Each structure stands twice: as C-alpha cells, then as structure tokens.
Amino acid sequence: MAHPLLLLALPAACLSAPQPALSSPEAASDSLRVVYESGLTWEAFYAGADARRALWERNWTEGSAAPEVIARARATGGPWRLLVITEPGCSDSVNTVPYIARLAEAVPALDLRLVNSTVGRPWMEAHRSPDGRASTPTVLLLDSDFEIRGCWVEQPKGLQGFWLDVVARGTASREVGRKMAWYEEEAGRETLTEIVEVMEAAQDGGIICPGISS
C-alpha cells in the first residue's frame, strides 16, 4: 500500500479555493512534533514522487543552492526544521521543493521533512497565499521546540507578481506554460533567498509568516 503522503489529495494541483479559516494551530507544538517526526525524509519522498517525475529529477539533479545563500542560512544558527506540506503533482512544489532540499542538504543545522496536504491541512489553512488560498507547498520553519518561527507559502514573490492576476482571471490552465517558463529561468534562486530571509528574521526574534503577526 502506498504511503499516505504519496496519495494526491489535490489531484495534480497546488491550489485550493478560499474557505473559512480554521482555528489557528499555532499553540499545538505537540501536534507539530508528531506531524514532523512522522513525515518523510527528502530521500523517501523523492523516491516515491511519481507525478511530474521528469521535472522532479531535473530540478533535483541540476539544482543547487548558491554559496552565499548557504552561508547566510548557516549564519542563522539553529537547529532549525523545515516542515514542507506538498504534493508530488503540484507544479509549484516540483519547482521549489527540490531546491529547498538542496539548501537543507548543505546546512547541517537545517533538517527537512515532508507531509501531504491532508496531514498538513490545518497549517495550510492557517497560512494562506496572498489571495486567500490554502496552497502547496506550505513551508513551516520550526525551532527545537517545534514552535513555528516563520513560514513560506506557495510561490516566490516574483512569480506572484503576475500569477495571482492569472489565478484571479481564471485562466491558469491556459497560462501555466508562462509560469513554468518563469520557474525554469529562475531555477530556485528567489525561493531560497526568501526561505533564508525567513530564517534570518527568526534568528533576530521576528517572524515572516502569513497568518502570524510579528
């Protein structure tokens, strides 16, 4: 039987229509500990990611984290944990998560686990995209006590600059090639810069995370 993480709760999709917000799970560090510790390692997730397989392989094998980004991440101390809520068939996940995994690989104090959108649904609902959607990927930065110290949702800001308008027009299925071309050109750089900015804010006692006031 397939691991639950590999079942597509949002078939080949990254988007969920806006819904009423659920109660915030921020106080539930015990729940986050359980979710995190039951999550897949990158190696296990990658081995079972069948949807969009060629793109997962390309972005993982060809992807990298820039030395200056690695240095900035290492300078934030830690230990840190990244809990990534994702789906193998999500176009945003396949174009961001492999690069996040490369960053974790290069930073000893940064650990990574992945869970699916069914397991991660309460945190997706609590930390939404700028236009109010629960989306994958949702990345939670956790400290050693499994408290949320920051998060990153769905897409880099450079892509959101035009893609949120596409989603609002309802033309995403017709314009997805434009998004994929942006990702191919960008090759994870903006994603990793924004993830490191979340880590730096946490180190300084602040927080970057939709749904949490700093």
Side-chain angles (χ1 to χ4, degrees), residues 25-212:
E26 258 48 75
S29 58
D30 288 346
S31 296
L32 275 172
R33 178 189 292 270
V34 171
V35 169
Y36 187 88
E37 293 180 347
S38 66
L40 293 182
T41 63
W42 165 253
E43 292 78 11
F45 173 85
Y46 178 70
D50 294 330
R52 301 184 184 269
R53 183 65 197 179
L55 197 49
W56 283 105
E57 290 179 350
R58 188 198 75 184
N59 290 341
W60 171 243
T61 58
E62 298 180 10
S64 64
E68 60 271 21
V69 171
I70 294 171
R72 287 173 60 187
R74 288 178 175 176
T76 64
W80 300 113
R81 298 174 173 89
L82 291 178
L83 177 62
V84 179
I85 304 165
T86 187
E87 292 291 345
C90 171
S91 60
D92 293 302
S93 291
V94 73
N95 284 295
T96 56
V97 176
Y99 301 103
I100 295 170
R102 284 297 184 197
L103 180 66
E105 178 185 56
V107 179
L110 184 59
D111 195 36
L112 177 68
R113 293 291 184 274
L114 303 99
V115 299
N116 70 13
S117 59
T118 299
V119 173
R121 173 63 60 174
W123 294 279
M124 290 169 57
E125 296 286 357
H127 308 292
R128 298 178 177 225
S129 66
D131 55 347
R133 292 171 292 104
S135 306
T136 56
T138 294
V139 181
L140 305 180
L141 177 68
L142 309 177
D143 63 17
S144 58
D145 295 320
F146 295 88
E147 298 287 346
I148 295 176
R149 299 291 302 281
C151 67
W152 183 90
V153 179
E154 190 182 33
Q155 299 168 340
K157 293 181 177 65
L159 176 58
Q160 290 175 352
F162 70 86
W163 190 250
L164 294 179
D165 289 340
V166 171
V167 173
R169 291 197 300 269
T171 60
S173 61
R174 297 200 302 273
E175 298 189 55
V176 68
R178 183 182 176 196
K179 177 171 80 168
M180 300 301 276
W182 187 93
Y183 272 129
E184 184 172 2
E185 174 67 23
E186 193 267 345
R189 291 183 295 272
E190 191 170 332
T191 295
L192 295 189
T193 296
E194 292 180 6
I195 293 289
V196 170
E197 287 171 351
V198 171
M199 296 171 66
E200 290 171 336
Q203 180 196 31
D204 292 340
I207 189 162
I208 297 174
C209 186
I212 300 179

